[in-house]
Each structure stands twice: as structure tokens, then as C-alpha cells.
Amino acid sequence: MNHPAPHTLRTVTGELRSASVRGPALAHEHLVLDLDRVGDGAAVLGAERHAAAVAAELVALREEYGLALVVELTCRGMGRDVRALSRIARETGVAVVAATGWYYEPFHTPEIDTLDVAALTDVLVREIEDGIDGTGVRPGVLGELGSHGDVPAPAEAKVLRAGARAAVATGLSVATHAQLGRGGLAQLELLTGEGLPAHRVSIGHQDLLDDPGVHRELAERGAYVAFDTVGKSGYQSDGTRLRLLLALLEAGHADRALLSCDISRHGYLRDEGGQGYGHLFASFLPRLRAAGADDDLIDLLTRRNPVRFLTGATVEEN
């Protein structure tokens, strides 16, 4: 297999040396997606209708905060459009990592019912090796591989196993969707059970689970713990998110936390009155600083950790 070169990120516009990522990253976002299951168009970020607003936000964040990288976790069955991602990356000067995999069960595509784990693994490896939809754009991460509940459903377990096998075969990392924060430990068991090292795994949406003990256990096992719905007050208050993050930091696991906003519908965009991709930088990080975080810790959480997660480095990046 053609693994990424050491200390190299695979982006929609080509390979990028990790040392060249000098600004912060958003570790779990969507720039283009379609999760509309009811026909109201709310859970959509359209390549035509919304891309200009998305790009404008990224440019503003690059100029104000140095935003350098977005990990875009829209995968198969979620309205993925890597041509649009490539345009956004070129227009904004912000590197974008695209994904492959399958989301949680309500969004599964038909092949999941008909193919076994080995065949699903082959589907993912082909995208990683050959590119997505004939574009030549190759994914740089597997995700967001999804499940719901405390234990993945059988079809979700199949997807997680296939994702883990594809990750082992291709040298990529895996980011998960744990619905409402639940089931992360079970996800990690399935993924590592297929031979994927825990440090190649980010367990998603842990800021929606008010259980510091689970967060500590995930980190102690070596996985990354994603506090990646920052600003989504309809699900959780940022005050609770801050408390949970501080608990993980105080337990000695600053090197295992990832931060992002998971913008997943157009109503979250700034030009529609939403919090936007910049909520992390404009609102949450100032609160974290007020709680005692210094510049080095902020850099660890927003730059070095996501780069290390993507590259699989086992020592801290500078």
C-alpha cells in the first residue's frame, strides 16, 4: 500500500508537510454536506448555495486567527463533494482534509447491506488509493464513522471494522461519530480489535457526554477525545463543555483533546445568524484562557494535537 509519507498530511490539493501547518486547525467540520432526511433543507451546506459564505468565514478566520487546516468529515452518504472542497481550499488558502467511510445507520448507503466487512474495506481502500469519484482527490482520514447507542448496531459494527482495516492498510487515522457522545468505548474496542492503534483514533462528540470518567478512560487507552460540537447550545452549553475539558486537562490528558464546532447545517453559518466556524476561537478559547490556559496549551489543543492525530505521530509535533 502507498502510505502517506511520514509527517505528511493528505489534503484535497495535495500532500502537505505537517511542519508547514503553523496555525490552528478545526478537527471536525463540514464545508459541504446534505443530511436532509425530511425535505426541509435545514441539514444542508450546498456546494452552490452556501459555498461562498463558507469560504468567506474561512478566509476571515485565516486572516484573524491564522486558521491553517480544516478536517472535513463528510463521508459516503452525507453529500460529500470533493470538487467543491478543492475549490474552497484553493479560494481560501486553508488546507482541507477530505474523508471516506460511512456515517451512522440512518445514513447508510445500500452497499452496507450487501457487502461483508472485507468487501467494504476494499471500497474504502480503493478511494484512499485511487481517489474519490474519479477526481483524483484522495482522502486523508477515515470518518466520521458512526454509531448510536451504547453499543453499535450490527451494520455500524461492520462499518467500524471495515474502517479500521482500511486505516491499518493505508496508514490513515479514524475519526468517529458517537451519537450524543454515547458508545465511544465500544467504538474504540471494535477499532483496536481490528489492529488499529488507539492513537490513530479520535472518538467524536465527547463534549455531549457528561461523564469525565469515560473521557479519562478513552485518553488513558491512547485515543483522542473530541470536544467537537463547541457552540451547539441546543445540545450542550459551552459552560458544561468547558468543565468537561478542564477535567480532562487536569487529569493530565491535554495531549489527547481535539476541538472543533461541527458546523453541519446552513443555519449555523454567520451570515444566517449562527455561531459559525469561528465560535471556537472567538468565544470558547477566551473562556479557556480565562480558566488558566496559556498560549502553549492553546497551540497544543488546536494545532499540534490534530496534526499528530492525522499523521499518527507518537511524539508531540512542534
Side-chain angles (χ1 to χ4, degrees):
M1 291 292 177
N2 181 19
H3 288 210
H7 307 294
T8 300
L9 309 177
R10 186 174 288 163
T11 81
V12 296
T13 55
E15 292 198 341
L16 179 69
R17 292 286 295 172
S18 59
S20 69
V21 180
R22 304 311 305 166
L26 289 167
H28 181 141
E29 294 300 339
H30 304 279
L31 305 178
V32 182
L33 92 168
D34 186 349
L35 298 180
D36 185 11
R37 297 170 61 214
V38 296
D40 64 2
V44 171
L45 289 165
E48 301 302 327
R49 182 179 171 194
H50 306 114
V54 169
E57 288 199 29
L58 298 189
V59 168
L61 295 175
R62 178 177 56 79
E63 291 174 348
E64 184 169 1
Y65 300 103
L67 178 67
L69 176 70
V70 173
V71 184
E72 214 280 2
L73 293 179
T74 306
C75 59
R76 300 170 67 90
M78 297 178 74
R80 182 182 59 181
D81 185 339
V82 296
R83 291 178 176 87
L85 297 185
S86 298
R87 289 195 300 271
I88 290 170
R90 290 189 175 94
E91 290 170 6
T92 63
V94 175
V96 176
V97 173
T100 189
W102 290 275
Y103 196 31
Y104 78 119
E105 193 168 30
F107 298 92
H108 280 181
T109 47
E111 66 266 27
I112 294 171
D113 291 331
T114 59
L115 300 180
D116 63 12
V117 173
L120 291 173
T121 302
D122 289 343
V123 170
L124 299 178
V125 170
R126 280 198 301 272
E127 284 204 334
I128 294 165
E129 292 295 315
D130 300 334
I132 297 168
D133 299 333
T135 62
V137 174
R138 301 167 70 194
V141 67
L142 287 129
E144 55 181 301
L145 304 185
S147 71
H148 68 293
D150 293 327
V151 178
E156 293 169 340
K158 188 193 294 191
V159 163
L160 287 161
R161 292 185 191 282
R165 293 183 189 182
V168 171
T170 62
L172 298 187
S173 295
V174 168
T176 78
H177 166 91
Q179 179 77 356
L180 299 178
R182 295 173 58 196
L185 288 168
Q187 289 182 339
L188 186 61
E189 285 289 331
L190 277 170
L191 294 166
T192 57
E194 295 294 333
L196 184 65
H199 74 274
R200 300 308 305 257
V201 177
S202 166
I203 301 296
H205 309 326
Q206 290 308 288
D207 50 336
L208 302 181
L209 181 72
D210 194 347
D211 191 336
V214 168
H215 301 157
R216 285 195 304 272
E217 185 169 354
L218 290 169
E220 286 165 0
R221 293 188 184 187
Y224 289 87
V225 183
F227 291 75
D228 53 14
T229 68
V230 174
K232 287 188 169 181
S233 57
Y235 291 92
Q236 184 77 279
S237 73
D238 276 356
T240 298
R241 289 186 177 91
L242 182 61
R243 170 173 56 80
L244 293 170
L245 178 60
L246 290 171
L248 187 65
L249 301 179
E250 289 162 6
H253 299 300
D255 64 342
R256 283 296 175 265
L258 297 174
L259 302 176
S260 211
C261 298
D262 189 23
I263 299 302
S264 55
R265 52 181 59 211
H266 60 83
Y268 290 138
L269 297 175
R270 289 295 301 277
D271 79 340
E272 296 193 21
Q275 68 269 35
Y277 298 96
H279 180 87
L280 175 68
F281 305 111
S283 179
F284 190 77
L285 292 181
R287 296 178 69 172
L288 184 59
R289 288 182 185 278
D294 60 14
D295 288 346
D296 184 71
L297 178 56
I298 298 295
D299 184 67
L300 175 67
L301 295 172
T302 63
R303 185 180 67 87
R304 281 133 59 200
N305 282 356
V307 167
R308 189 158 28 87
F309 160 66
L310 288 169
T311 61
T314 54
V315 295
E316 187 180 311
E317 304 284 338
N318 292 320

